[in-house]
Amino acid sequence: MRLLLVEDDQMIAEPVLGAMRREGYAIDWARDGREAQLSLANGVYDLVLLDLGLPKTEGIEVLNAYRKAGGAAPVIIVTARDAVDERVRGLDTGADDYLVKPFDLHELAARIRALLRRRTGQKQPVYTHGVLTLDPASREVTKDGESIPLMPREFALLRALIEMPSRVYTKSELEEKIYGWQQEIGSNAVEVHVHSLRRKIGAEEIVTVRGVGYRLRRV
């Protein structure tokens, strides 16, 4: 899952970025309304966290233009504006949720999970492949019923593979799944995460397709 945070305040943005990465999401950061519009034009986001008081273009204008252009990703407004008419305006313009600053990061994560579940039409979207099971809602991975603790990027990597287990993902595709575009990525970062994940779930579970990338083993 890839998120976009639209927030001009670095002191607010950095904790949100860190918390969402720990949750296993790839998240990008737009610092003003114009940058947000350019980012949203790519159509790659599963959910947007949108502040209203933005430089260059107001958040409500960003939201209005996004919806008019057919943008369908869930949008959570995160703002210090707590007046009822502001909430009504935001929701009527097309926001799916409205969270007033300051907010708890655990609550924000729970609201994101709820909206993403609603978007997929599943109350409990659980992926199973052979002896492996991955539950995005509880962020739990099991093998033969035994819980396997994973780091956030290991979880994001396994989720990408298990969602389409017969597909071979290239290194660059996996980088997009587990990193935001502002993050520096080491040349062997994906290989390191694959190696670490193999140690935890079993080396046989992830197949290297030489010259192409990685996929899960066939079952």
Side-chain angles (χ1 to χ4, degrees):
M1 292 291 173
R2 194 173 198 88
L3 314 182
L4 176 65
L5 171 65
V6 187
E7 171 61 65
D8 64 314
D9 190 332
Q10 185 172 351
M11 293 184 65
I12 294 174
E14 288 184 345
V16 173
L17 293 170
M20 295 305 103
R21 286 167 184 155
R22 287 191 295 273
E23 288 285 325
Y25 300 113
I27 183 167
D28 299 331
W29 177 21
R31 295 166 174 80
D32 59 57
R34 181 56 183 153
E35 188 178 350
Q37 290 177 318
L38 293 173
S39 298
L40 289 170
N42 294 325
V44 299
Y45 296 105
D46 298 287
L47 185 140
V48 181
L49 303 172
L50 177 65
D51 187 19
L52 293 181
L54 297 170
K56 298 186 179 179
T57 304
E58 276 278 307
I60 202 72
E61 295 177 32
V62 172
L63 175 59
N64 187 46
Y66 178 62
R67 292 300 190 218
K68 284 185 175 180
V75 175
I76 302 178
I77 290 177
V78 284
T79 180
R81 300 178 184 177
D82 60 353
V84 172
D85 59 342
E86 290 281 3
R87 299 187 192 204
V88 170
R89 185 184 178 201
L91 294 169
D92 281 347
T93 303
D96 298 271
D97 200 354
Y98 196 106
L99 191 58
V100 176
K101 301 173 185 176
F103 50 82
D104 182 86
L105 290 171
H106 295 293
E107 180 183 359
L108 176 62
R111 289 179 184 236
I112 289 171
R113 289 193 296 270
L115 282 175
L116 292 176
R117 286 198 301 271
R118 194 181 309 162
R119 187 187 186 198
T120 60
Q122 296 173 303
K123 293 183 179 179
Q124 294 293 330
V126 176
Y127 301 96
T128 300
H129 184 75
V131 296
L132 294 173
T133 299
L134 182 147
D135 186 343
S138 65
R139 310 203 66 76
E140 183 179 18
V141 172
T142 63
K143 181 178 182 180
D144 284 324
E146 295 290 329
S147 181
I148 301 174
L150 298 182
M151 298 297 288
R153 288 193 179 119
E154 295 167 353
F155 184 91
L157 173 60
L158 180 58
R159 178 169 183 170
L161 294 172
I162 205 170
E163 284 179 339
M164 299 183 68
S166 62
R167 175 180 172 180
V168 180
Y169 282 90
T170 66
K171 177 181 173 180
S172 61
E173 287 173 332
L174 291 174
E175 287 175 344
E176 289 181 2
K177 293 284 187 180
I178 63 180
Y179 288 96
W181 50 261
Q182 290 107 338
Q183 292 180 273
E184 293 185 7
I185 306 172
S187 59
N188 67 336
V190 169
E191 289 88 344
V192 169
H193 293 310
V194 168
H195 176 73
S196 178
L197 185 56
R198 277 174 167 156
R199 285 193 296 105
K200 294 182 178 181
I201 68 172
E204 75 284 355
E205 298 293 342
I206 302 177
V207 176
T208 300
V209 180
R210 292 191 179 279
V212 185
Y214 302 95
R215 63 168 173 80
L216 291 187
R217 69 180 178 91
R218 293 191 174 95
V219 297

